[in-house]
Amino acid sequence: MLIDLFLPCAAGAEALLAEECKRVLGPKTRLLTARGGVTVEGDERAAMALNLESRLAQRVLWPLAHGAYRHEHDLYDIARGVRWSDWITAQQTLRVETTAQRSPLRSLNFATLRIKDAVCDAIRESSGERPSVDTRAPDLPLALHLTPTHATVYVDTSGEPLFKRGWRDARAAGRDVTGEAPLKETLAAAMLAAAGWQGRAGDGPLLDPCCGAGTIAIEAAQIACGIAPGLERRFGFERLAPWRDHASAWRTLREAAQARIHAPTVAIFAGDVSFRMTDFATRNAERAGVLSPAMKAIEFKTADALQRLPPAERGVLVLNPPYGERIGAKGRGAAPREDFEGGGTPASFFAELASHWKRHYAGWTAWVLSPEMRLPSLMRLKESQRVPMWNGPIECRLFRFDMVAGSARG
Ligand SMILES: C[S@@+](CC[C@H](N)C(=O)[O-])C[C@H]1O[C@@H](n2cnc3c(N)ncnc32)[C@H](O)[C@@H]1O
């Protein structure tokens, strides 16, 4: 059955996601780019393929009901229009997650409850019992999206959001070793896509000198090795009744993805000034399957970005440098707090980084993600591109600097 799947993504990454969907499903795929996501025409197989292969989508949502609303009870009526017995039994569990854009409703919690009530009432009427709620690992994950006038109820075929690739150490989360503000995998992938870096030999070596948990280098390495982002994880659709008939298509998709894995043809380098972070990133990369003897896709080194020499004559730097109250720049250029500009990283760090690049990195292209809109003037470099991207709620720019010998302004 063809349906309009909705794939939300980070604001700024919509056009890149549209291109990715065509790469995964074929160039004739019908799709529509909206703010915050892409609508893609597809079926159960397309939903599986996108879950397995998309690096940029946050989820793959399957629409079940849509309608105009003004009050919470309208949401109940919209949800009651679905034949829920096709999706859930009384013995199973559900979760409803609500997102809203300028919704007039006072309580989104109440909106969430009305959808849950609609499902539970429908199942109780048909079977005498009601399913229960499980917010952590439900059988049926539902997503409610509210615009100012319309509501859509989706099945979240991903379950856990897609930025969870399965390689991050869940136990690390509580122990302050997640990295200082690690990037989401989906945003790291969007940076690489915007840079046009696809892991081919012609794309040139890649270096992230401020790698933190290693997210950018690991995404890059998986791309270079042809490792599908979803190979190491499970998805919501695997527990859903309408996908039971598609188990063999799912096996075929996974086998094809597995067969595509190959040793990289391009070098990837990464490191951090902190040994603890370089070590942590190395362990993440091991779990992501890119450091096996057959792959050896990333070379890590603990080093100060302000002193590190280029590992190749030409290449691409991709990084989100330290910024903000929580993250201090360390190493040679780090300055006392009075020198901080704009509330975080010292301006001198960027000035020193730029002069280091001008001196040693001629021939390289740098892609730097930062919420600091004055980055080019702090670096005394003229950007050749400035791509709007959102890091969660934080508005950023991905700046491109071409390090041409003698081109520096200062
Ligand atoms: C915003 S975090 C990068 C996050 C990373 N992209 C990730 O996904 O985890 C910035 C990193 O820069 C590192 N750093 C700060 N000063 C540095 C320097 N002088 N040289 C190299 N790394 C530095 C910090 O230790 C921190 O891990």
Side-chain angles (χ1 to χ4, degrees), residues 50-327:
L50 290 166
N51 271 302
L52 179 63
E53 303 282 356
S54 176
R55 294 195 168 274
L56 303 173
Q58 287 159 349
R59 300 169 184 281
V60 179
L61 301 177
W62 182 277
L64 290 180
H66 177 77
Y69 76 99
R70 289 180 62 186
H71 306 286
E72 285 86 354
H73 56 254
D74 299 328
L75 301 176
Y76 181 91
D77 293 342
I78 291 169
R80 281 304 304 253
V82 176
R83 214 165 61 190
W84 288 109
S85 54
D86 290 351
W87 292 94
I88 187 167
T89 66
Q91 286 67 43
Q92 290 185 308
T93 56
L94 79 153
R95 169 183 74 202
V96 183
E97 284 189 337
T98 301
T99 51
Q101 267 168 356
R102 289 178 285 116
S103 164
L105 296 184
R106 269 210 239 121
S107 162
L108 294 186
N109 279 344
F110 191 44
T112 305
L113 273 181
R114 294 311 284 150
I115 302 298
K116 192 242 347 162
D117 288 346
V119 181
C120 291
D121 290 353
I123 298 298
R124 198 186 39 216
E125 279 169 25
S126 62
S127 75
E129 286 174 86
R130 43 188 297 162
S132 49
V133 170
D134 179 350
T135 51
R136 214 182 41 81
D139 297 300
L140 181 65
L142 296 174
L144 167 67
H145 184 66
L146 301 171
T147 68
T149 52
H150 285 76
T152 312
V153 180
Y154 299 96
V155 172
D156 177 359
T157 69
S158 306
E160 290 282 296
L162 293 179
F163 73 82
K164 295 193 178 173
R165 312 285 203 223
W167 54 257
R168 242 184 245 278
D169 185 358
R171 286 162 308 156
R175 285 195 273 122
D176 191 33
V177 282
T178 47
E180 301 180 70
L183 280 182
K184 286 219 169 92
E185 290 74 348
T186 36
L187 184 58
M191 292 167 70
L192 294 166
W197 195 91
Q198 292 179 38
R200 303 160 299 196
D203 294 328
L206 182 135
L207 166 63
D208 177 357
C210 296
C211 76
T215 319
I216 296 170
I218 292 170
E219 277 300 305
Q222 287 201 332
I223 293 169
C225 298
I227 300 176
L231 260 184
E232 291 303 316
R233 54 160 283 165
R234 310 299 303 258
F235 297 96
F237 67 77
E238 293 177 71
R239 295 161 81 165
L240 291 171
W243 267 268
R244 254 175 233 144
D245 294 343
H246 300 273
S248 98
W250 177 227
R251 241 187 337 270
T252 308
L253 280 171
R254 281 181 53 87
E255 282 164 8
Q258 203 78 46
R260 256 191 359 242
I261 299 176
H262 57 80
T265 55
V266 64
I268 298 162
F269 303 90
D272 199 284
V273 71
S274 144
F275 167 75
R276 196 171 127 265
M277 289 321 300
T278 315
D279 181 56
F280 182 57
T282 306
R283 282 181 284 119
N284 281 337
E286 278 164 2
R287 273 192 299 274
V290 295
L291 291 191
S292 66
M295 299 297 153
K296 287 202 189 117
I298 310 176
E299 203 179 305
F300 285 103
K301 176 166 127 182
T302 299
D304 182 352
L306 303 173
Q307 293 182 322
R308 181 175 188 155
L309 292 175
E313 207 171 300
R314 275 154 212 286
V316 189
L317 287 146
V318 185
L319 62 151
N320 70 311
Y323 181 83
E325 295 292 350
R326 247 159 46 77
I327 303 166

